[in-house]
Amino acid sequence: MKDKRPTNTRYSEAFKLQVVNELESGKLSCINEANIRYGIAGSHTVKRWLKKYGRNHLIPKRIRVERPDEHDRLKQLKAENKELKEALADAYLEKLVSDSRFEVTCEQFGLDSEEVKKKLDTKRHTRLTKGLQKRKKK
């Protein structure tokens, strides 16, 4: 039976330094070229070597510049998002409780809950359409 565990490749310190030196000297144009040329697996392997042995100027960086008020606004939006998620969860729980109470009440009175819902929806729809018709007449 074959062993299907992934193999881990260990690279020597000399090899790592060689790859880093070739990147820094310009012999290799980018990290992907080093991966392809030497068959290095893993997208972050060479980046880690550059951080450890290199001058870090070849590692692509993402810099975000923002004003203090933008940072404050971001914090405010995150807090608001959290509050809204909590409110939505509370509303969902309240709906579940309300639906459960409705089911229990219908059982106690010997009513079919689906029929009651249909009747209530029909009455609600009738009231809404009458209200809209009155508004149109004005």
Side-chain angles (χ1 to χ4, degrees):
M1 184 173 210
K2 270 189 169 176
D3 188 13
K4 294 187 179 186
R5 286 184 279 166
T7 58
N8 288 332
T9 307
R10 304 276 178 177
Y11 301 100
S12 68
E13 295 292 317
F15 177 74
K16 294 175 185 178
L17 288 170
Q18 176 189 343
V19 173
V20 169
N21 287 334
E22 287 183 19
L23 281 165
E24 289 183 339
S25 68
K27 289 182 183 175
L28 297 171
S29 61
C30 66
I31 293 172
N32 287 337
E33 185 180 344
N35 288 341
I36 293 168
R37 180 179 287 177
Y38 293 110
I40 301 169
S43 58
H44 297 289
T45 305
V46 176
K47 287 180 184 178
R48 282 193 301 268
W49 297 350
L50 281 168
K51 284 182 182 178
K52 186 174 181 180
Y53 304 110
R55 293 177 286 189
N56 293 332
H57 69 284
L58 296 173
I59 300 173
K61 294 176 182 78
R62 183 178 296 165
I63 299 171
R64 181 182 166 122
V65 179
E66 58 185 30
R67 296 186 315 259
D69 61 322
E70 290 174 330
H71 184 67
D72 294 340
R73 179 73 176 140
L74 183 63
K75 280 184 179 179
Q76 178 188 6
L77 289 172
K78 284 182 180 180
E80 183 179 338
N81 189 18
K82 182 181 176 184
E83 289 175 17
L84 289 172
K85 284 181 179 180
E86 290 172 357
L88 179 62
D90 290 343
Y92 180 72
L93 289 174
E94 286 178 20
K95 182 186 179 311
L96 285 175
V97 169
S98 176
D99 289 347
S100 297
R101 285 181 180 161
F102 177 76
E103 294 288 331
V104 169
T105 304
C106 286
E107 280 182 30
Q108 288 175 345
F109 287 99
L111 301 171
D112 182 23
S113 61
E114 293 302 318
E115 287 182 24
V116 173
K117 285 180 186 178
K118 286 179 186 176
K119 287 180 182 178
L120 289 173
D121 285 341
T122 305
K123 288 180 182 178
R124 186 178 305 138
H125 178 71
T126 306
R127 274 189 268 138
L128 286 173
T129 53
K130 285 181 180 178
L132 290 174
Q133 289 172 353
K134 287 180 183 177
R135 287 183 186 168
K136 286 181 181 179
K137 288 180 182 178
K138 291 181 182 181

